[in-house]
Amino acid sequence: MIPQQIEPVSALEATYKAREVEGVLDLYFFRPVGFRLARFFAEMHMAPAGVTLLACLFGIIAGHLFYYRDLHTNVVGMALFVFANALDNADGQLARLTHRQTREGRIVDSLADHLVFASIYIHLTLRYLVAGASPAILLLALAAGISHAFQGAAADYYRTTYLYFATNRSRMELDSSSLLRSNFRSLTWYHQPWHRFLLALYLNFTRQQEMLSPNLRKVREAGGQLFGGQIPIWLKSRYKSLASPALKWWGLLMTNLRMLVLFALLFIGQPIWYFWFELIALNALLVYLIIRQEDMADSLLEVAVRWRDSA
């Protein structure tokens, strides 16, 4: 038997989650910039969480600058938002570069992302309220923000599952709500308030994901129960062939497309349409992808059950 040749991985690519889940803008801009920033922060002995907080700070300031009806001020906000996004890439790359990946780090990173977009939503809403818009814009912004949260949760769930089943990289433990609930109950508010708070947020986030994708949740559970986390070659190949075509579409629910659309609307002075973009275009894409994903997961479950019955 000829041993399988493993392609050498560059220092930059070693800091990716996996090349196939990275968007074009990530591969050719944010990841290279993030890698240089990660190496700088590593030399400064800065923790990934510190980089996350720095990204959050710049992102919140960027959101505030979108409040003003002045294009020059908005452009400064755009530049800060791009820098915040580069830092957001750098924190994960720093964690992988220095082998400091933790569940807590992933939770803090997700929380920081939500705070940045909350700043954007709040300041865009205030921009219109001060200009005399109807208070109904509050409901529009809230609906868009909730939609954003569900879209991000579903996209993260899909990509994390893909990394687990279809690649040799990022073999992180797949968290389930039942496991997280058990961990949460083992902590106390008196002794570990910060860890319990973060775990409460993460538990709620994971419940959202499982609610949106029940069949995919069953596939994840089957991977652990039937194979003990050691995914066989045949299942990895089948999952990859079925899931890969949708990756580019799931990528549209991540930050980069939102950023580009928001910038375009700020340039023409109509950022209110960003809320409608979230509600109509991205929600329609989410529904389509979930239906497609659940059909795929259902077919994989059938294969896994046949394998179990024949074993």
Side-chain angles (χ1 to χ4, degrees):
M1 182 178 177
I2 300 174
Q4 185 179 3
Q5 296 294 316
I6 300 176
E7 282 188 34
V9 176
S10 68
L12 169 59
E13 193 165 346
T15 65
Y16 296 168
K17 291 181 177 179
R19 173 173 279 271
E20 54 264 52
V21 303
E22 306 287 353
V24 173
L25 197 55
D26 291 318
L27 287 173
Y28 295 102
F29 180 72
F30 284 116
R31 287 308 191 190
V33 172
F35 180 63
R36 289 174 174 81
L37 289 170
R39 289 201 298 187
F40 169 76
F41 290 128
E43 292 175 1
M44 298 292 291
H45 303 289
M46 192 167 179
V51 180
T52 300
L53 295 176
L54 195 61
C56 183
L57 176 63
F58 278 105
I60 289 172
I61 294 172
H64 170 71
L65 295 180
F66 298 151
Y67 164 80
Y68 302 98
R69 289 177 172 269
D70 175 70
L71 183 57
H72 293 91
T73 304
N74 293 165
V75 168
V76 174
M78 295 179 207
L80 288 179
F81 191 30
V82 170
F83 184 56
N85 201 5
L87 288 171
D88 187 45
N89 279 261
D91 62 4
Q93 290 176 275
L94 177 62
R96 288 183 282 277
L97 187 67
T98 57
H99 308 290
R100 298 169 72 178
Q101 296 166 269
T102 64
R103 175 197 280 169
E104 184 174 306
R106 296 197 303 273
I107 301 171
V108 171
D109 184 60
S110 178
L111 177 60
D113 290 342
H114 283 300
L115 289 175
V116 169
F117 273 98
S119 174
I120 292 172
Y121 280 70
I122 289 169
H123 286 100
L124 288 180
T125 303
L126 291 175
R127 172 178 175 145
Y128 280 94
L129 284 175
V130 169
S134 166
I137 195 174
L138 292 168
L139 296 176
L140 176 63
L142 180 61
I146 293 172
S147 297
H148 182 157
F150 278 103
Q151 293 156 12
D156 178 79
Y157 199 57
Y158 182 87
R159 289 171 14 129
T160 303
T161 307
Y162 179 88
L163 290 171
Y164 179 72
F165 278 98
T167 75
N168 292 318
R169 309 277 298 282
S170 300
R171 307 295 289 177
M172 67 189 76
E173 180 184 357
L174 292 182
D175 291 316
S176 65
S177 60
S178 58
L179 173 64
L180 292 173
R181 193 179 303 111
S182 175
N183 292 343
F184 177 76
R185 289 170 178 167
S186 70
L187 302 177
T188 64
W189 288 113
Y190 182 77
H191 292 101
Q192 302 113 333
W194 175 242
H195 294 288
R196 203 164 200 258
F197 170 70
L198 290 180
L199 202 55
L201 294 177
Y202 192 40
L203 175 57
N204 182 63
F205 182 68
T206 304
R207 282 172 175 161
Q208 288 180 7
Q209 293 177 319
E210 292 177 351
M211 179 187 69
L212 288 170
S213 306
N215 284 346
L216 191 60
R217 174 182 58 80
K218 293 175 184 176
V219 170
R220 288 169 64 127
E221 290 173 351
Q225 294 168 0
L226 298 178
F227 312 111
Q230 299 300 316
I231 308 303
I233 300 282
W234 65 265
L235 180 56
K236 181 186 297 185
S237 176
R238 187 176 183 89
Y239 191 99
K240 192 169 187 176
S241 66
L242 290 172
S244 293
L247 282 173
K248 62 180 180 294
W249 299 108
W250 280 109
L252 296 179
L253 295 177
M254 306 305 286
T255 299
N256 291 342
L257 178 63
R258 288 186 170 90
M259 178 184 69
L260 295 175
V261 169
L262 176 60
F263 288 2
L265 292 171
L266 284 165
F267 270 112
I268 64 174
Q270 295 296 330
I272 192 172
W273 287 103
Y274 175 78
F275 296 147
W276 290 110
F277 173 71
E278 281 279 4
L279 282 172
I280 299 174
L282 294 188
N283 274 340
L285 178 60
L286 175 66
V287 170
Y288 165 73
L289 288 174
I290 286 178
I291 292 171
R292 178 173 173 173
Q293 168 187 283
E294 288 294 279
D295 287 343
M296 178 204 75
D298 189 51
S299 68
L300 284 170
L301 277 172
E302 290 180 8
V303 173
V305 169
R306 285 202 301 269
W307 178 90
R308 181 197 61 194
D309 294 342
S310 64

